Amino acid sequence: MTAPAIDAAKDRVVIFDTTMRDGEQSPGASMSLDEKLELAKILEEMGVDVIEAGFPIASNGDFEAVRRIAEIVTESTICGLARATAKDIERCAEAIKPARRGRIHTFISTSPVHMKHKLQMGPNAVLEAIHASVSLARNHTDDVEWSAEDATRTERDFLRRCVEVAIRAGATTINIPDTVGYTYPEEYADIFRDLIANVPGADGVIFSTHCHNDLGLAVANSLSGVQGGARQIEVAVNGIGERAGNAALEEVVMALRVRADRLPYQTRIDPRHITRASRYVSAITGFPVQFNKAIVGKNAFAHESGIHQDGMLKNAETYEIMKPEDVGQVETNLVMGKHSGRHAFREKLKALGYELGDEGLNEAFQRFKDLADKKKQVFDGDIVALVDDSLARGKERITVGRLVVTAGTEGQKAELTLNIDGEPRSAACSGDGPVDAVFKAIRELAPHEAMLQLYQVHAVTEGADAQAHVTVRLEEGGHISTGTAADTDTMTASAMAYVSALNTLIARREKAAPDTRVAGGFR
Ligand code: KIV
Ligand code: ZN
């Protein structure tokens, strides 16, 4: 492993993405290995400096994800999280070993409430643990980040001592998390100024922000931290993360760009990848992006009122501080329909920020043709939904064949054929509503014990012929799997989304115990 290539120029801010670690910790946001690999590639292309790919000791799945990402990503540093124990650190070191640039991120709580109730350790024991954990991590890599969990509720004098010990032991990045989203901008900046001015060795390390959004201040606090001297910001795409989430990558990056007059700091991020990353994270987690979400919300660049529209027509600068295309939101003039060819489709995908290989293009093109047969005009949103849907799907044991649903005042019934390991199987079920009937038929054909945790539908575009985008979340033995699908027929999309979630659960189960695979046995 080579030394870190991250420079510490005074005006350069390192972007550290924790979508796959802190982001995945939010209830229901679990991602499959394939989804994580794809997301890592998107983040790398976007110019993210450090990708925190997981918490290797947490599960074999997390270990595998960090290791595989370390194998395929070359431009970003790959980081794994570890508590302050030898077991965690050794496991993390193993996972990041293949990385061209690998980082171990180790942490321990430093606030009185955490030390007393969570760790049941006194201050001296915590200082010793910091020294031991950072020293051990440094034996494995030159790039070690140390975090003071709950730093913003830590006594300042003790925080200084902890940071000093971590620096002496060899930490190269010092992270000051606002773990519970408690701080406010001025206070947070002051913590960095204090540490940088008073801790010996502080000028030789990079200080980092890590802000949670419990009071809606995560982005403001992160930017304020930079003004106080931090030169790394930890973020997650769409702001996902524990509880109210983390500082949103897209908001931090665009605030730095749009207000470079007040915040004269550079990042390596190409913001044109932002929309694609946001849509992908939303598709694989099943977490919708709120319509009015800054930068990536459906309405972030929509102007509804007459006065605003009039101003926009005269000069876009009247109401727009950035352009949609700056963040990769492109509305192209190319109208797509059933006569559009493969070349036009490839160009459209390119304009929307997708570069698919031949196989991916063929599959997406076939699905586009099927859609164009059902829908006169295919909008950009339709194509995005269709491609994200294909990307979110891996190798599947079960696929949806024929589906006929009867609904209305006389009762609801579903006749369904599933192809299971290539064999067609059919069932007919009634239910409390058409969706219930469809899901009962799936359960009859592929018996399983997973519980339905979420069923959600939204229209991809306007109009009665809009595609329905359906999200289904299943839970089995603490594992959560999310499936999404889009189709002009809501029941077909529902069946496909359910089956997609089920395929992920089956794949996970088979991976955990490969010899338990029984043809047609899904329990
Ligand atoms: O919020 C937090 O304190 C964390 C640490 C593990 C960095 O996520
Ligand atoms: Zn966190």
Side-chain angles (χ1 to χ4, degrees):
M1 202 180 295
T2 54
I6 289 171
D7 61 84
K10 290 270 173 282
D11 64 347
R12 162 100 154 86
V13 171
V14 171
I15 297 294
F16 175 117
D17 179 272
T18 186
T19 310
M20 287 184 267
R21 199 277 298 167
D22 211 319
E24 206 201 22
Q25 276 171 228
S26 48
S30 68
M31 305 166 203
S32 71
L33 176 61
D34 287 341
E35 290 162 353
K36 285 186 181 176
L37 293 174
E38 183 61 32
L39 179 56
K41 283 192 247 158
I42 294 174
L43 296 174
E44 180 184 29
E45 268 176 49
M46 190 195 282
V48 164
D49 298 291
V50 186
I51 299 174
E52 189 166 48
F55 190 4
I57 195 86
S59 69
N60 289 341
D62 255 46
F63 176 86
E64 176 82 359
V66 177
R67 195 171 171 90
R68 293 286 306 281
I69 291 170
E71 280 166 3
I72 62 161
V73 170
T74 52
E75 299 304 313
S76 314
T77 296
I78 302 305
C79 173
L81 185 69
R83 287 166 300 190
T85 69
K87 248 171 118 183
D88 274 46
I89 291 166
E90 304 287 0
R91 189 85 176 133
C92 184
E94 191 60 30
I96 62 159
K97 214 184 225 162
R100 203 166 139 216
R101 288 191 285 272
R103 171 179 297 189
I104 296 176
H105 174 192
T106 181
F107 72 100
I108 193 166
S109 294
T110 53
S111 67
V113 63
H114 274 223
M115 289 195 294
K116 181 163 176 219
H117 298 289
K118 186 181 128 174
L119 298 178
Q120 289 158 345
M121 285 165 81
N124 286 338
V126 167
L127 290 170
E128 276 167 29
I130 296 170
H131 182 263
S133 56
V134 174
S135 306
L136 178 60
R138 272 305 298 255
N139 288 343
H140 294 282
T141 171
D142 295 339
D143 190 347
V144 174
E145 171 167 336
W146 177 76
S147 284
E149 191 183 2
D150 205 17
T152 52
R153 293 193 298 169
T154 298
E155 286 161 356
R156 196 66 71 80
D157 185 47
F158 185 60
L159 185 60
R160 282 190 217 107
R161 285 169 63 204
C162 291
V163 171
E164 183 177 349
V165 170
I167 293 175
R168 276 195 208 286
T172 44
T173 297
I174 299 291
N175 186 29
I176 305 297
D178 184 28
T179 304
V180 291
Y182 175 76
T183 197
Y184 72 96
E186 260 177 59
E187 178 185 56
Y188 199 47
D190 185 58
I191 296 175
F192 287 100
R193 281 191 202 104
D194 177 356
L195 295 173
I196 291 166
N198 297 312
V199 175
D203 54 347
V205 299
I206 294 182
F207 279 84
S208 173
T209 69
H210 177 106
C211 296
H212 281 271
N213 206 28
D214 300 66
L215 294 174
L217 291 171
V219 171
N221 285 336
S222 303
L223 298 174
S224 190
V226 170
Q227 290 181 308
R231 289 293 177 271
Q232 173 177 285
I233 309 181
E234 302 198 353
V235 289
V237 175
N238 295 344
I240 66 170
E242 281 278 4
R243 305 180 312 279
N246 286 81
L249 178 149
E250 58 279 5
E251 294 176 23
V252 162
V253 166
M254 290 316 288
L256 286 171
R257 280 179 84 92
V258 173
R259 296 310 309 271
D261 56 326
R262 305 293 299 204
L263 297 156
Y265 310 104
Q266 310 295 317
T267 73
R268 257 188 357 107
I269 301 291
D270 177 347
R272 288 171 303 176
H273 295 268
I274 280 177
T275 299
R276 179 178 160 217
S278 163
R279 285 175 178 158
Y280 189 65
V281 168
S282 174
I284 61 179
T285 57
F287 282 18
V289 175
Q290 77 193 51
F291 283 9
N292 61 327
K293 164 86 178 61
I295 318 295
V296 289
K298 187 172 181 273
N299 291 350
F301 295 96
H303 303 274
E304 177 73 24
S305 86
I307 296 172
H308 286 210
Q309 286 178 347
D310 180 55
M312 283 294 292
L313 289 171
K314 288 175 176 145
N315 184 331
E317 276 182 28
T318 49
Y319 287 103
E320 230 168 48
I321 57 168
M322 58 198 147
K323 295 200 235 26
E325 51 270 33
D326 295 344
V327 296
Q329 264 200 38
V330 272
E331 288 296 330
T332 56
N333 295 326
L334 218 52
V335 177
M336 303 296 286
K338 69 186 207 180
H339 301 297
S340 306
R342 187 184 301 266
H343 181 68
F345 184 65
R346 188 196 288 269
E347 288 307 303
K348 172 65 97 178
L349 288 185
K350 226 172 161 182
L352 292 171
Y354 295 99
E355 301 257 5
L356 303 184
D358 285 345
E359 202 186 319
L361 180 73
N362 286 346
E363 197 209 324
F365 185 63
Q366 188 50 53
R367 294 194 61 201
F368 158 71
K369 282 289 186 188
D370 293 344
L371 180 63
D373 273 340
K374 297 182 201 159
K375 220 172 168 268
K376 244 205 227 123
Q377 269 185 310
V378 179
F379 298 105
D380 287 355
D382 288 318
I383 295 178
V384 166
L386 179 153
V387 177
D388 284 346
D389 206 29
S390 307
L391 290 175
R393 238 169 255 163
K395 292 227 174 308
E396 299 174 324
R397 280 185 65 188
I398 312 177
T399 55
V400 176
R402 178 175 174 274
L403 174 65
V404 177
V405 179
T406 316
T409 51
E410 304 303 307
Q412 297 83 27
K413 199 174 151 199
E415 291 171 46
L416 174 67
T417 304
L418 292 182
N419 297 310
I420 302 179
D421 296 330
E423 290 276 315
R425 289 197 217 165
S426 302
C429 287
S430 329
D432 295 332
V435 178
D436 188 45
V438 171
F439 290 180
K440 275 191 177 139
I442 296 174
R443 279 181 184 274
E444 187 164 321
L445 294 170
H448 55 278
E449 275 151 21
M451 304 291 290
L452 179 68
Q453 277 208 336
L454 173 90
Y455 171 70
Q456 182 176 277
V457 187
H458 74 262
V460 172
T461 56
E462 270 95 58
D465 68 346
Q467 286 194 89
H469 185 270
V470 177
T471 305
V472 166
R473 191 178 300 146
L474 299 176
E475 190 269 337
E476 181 191 69
H479 291 298
I480 284 163
S481 137
T482 303
T484 59
D487 198 279
T488 46
D489 183 89
T490 310
M491 291 307 113
T492 303
S494 303
M496 285 165 53
Y498 193 112
V499 163
S500 164
L502 191 54
N503 277 317
T504 307
L505 275 186
I506 293 166
R508 180 179 289 141
R509 216 188 293 156
E510 282 173 359
K511 201 157 212 183
D515 47 350
T516 59
R517 181 175 169 144
V518 185
F522 293 99
R523 280 181 203 281

